[in-house]
Amino acid sequence: MNDRRESFQAIPHDEIQRAEDRSWTDRLLGWLVLPELPEAERDEIATTLARVEDPRAAARLMRIVEARELPEAAREAAGAILRSAGNPPGITAPSQ
């Protein structure tokens, strides 16, 4: 976890959001679902994903929402990101 924690702390959230840098999307989605991820870090990752608004993430976010084996906090965060992008509950995001 120490290596992962250092990775989380090294995420330049402000820079990613300012530049709308979608090259981070895959890494952020991977970290979002980690069971040991502290709530504050999950919230920051979710905020960054919501602000970047990468349409390529919609299908993966929908899979996260539907995956009952994942942490509830990750599923809730994925749902919030989808809603912030204008995907109301019950509407399936486009497949990618």
Side-chain angles (χ1 to χ4, degrees):
M1 176 63 188
N2 286 341
D3 290 339
R4 286 183 179 168
R5 181 171 298 282
E6 290 173 14
S7 296
F8 301 141
Q9 292 173 346
I11 299 171
H13 290 284
D14 292 337
E15 187 177 316
I16 295 167
Q17 293 172 18
R18 189 173 23 264
E20 295 181 8
D21 186 352
R22 294 177 175 170
S23 69
W24 282 84
T25 300
D26 190 52
R27 285 174 280 182
L28 293 171
L29 287 168
W31 289 324
L32 183 72
V33 300
L34 293 175
E36 70 273 11
L37 187 66
E39 181 180 355
E41 292 173 5
R42 190 180 321 276
D43 289 347
E44 189 67 29
I45 288 170
T47 297
T48 298
L49 285 165
R51 290 196 179 146
V52 170
E53 294 184 358
D54 189 342
R56 299 171 303 168
R60 189 160 168 197
L61 287 165
M62 197 59 144
R63 286 192 299 272
I64 292 169
V65 168
E66 295 171 347
R68 295 190 181 269
E69 69 277 5
L70 293 176
E72 183 177 344
R75 296 172 58 220
E76 289 175 0
I81 296 164
L82 286 167
R83 286 189 301 278
S84 75
N87 295 299
I91 302 298
T92 304
S95 297
Q96 297 285 324

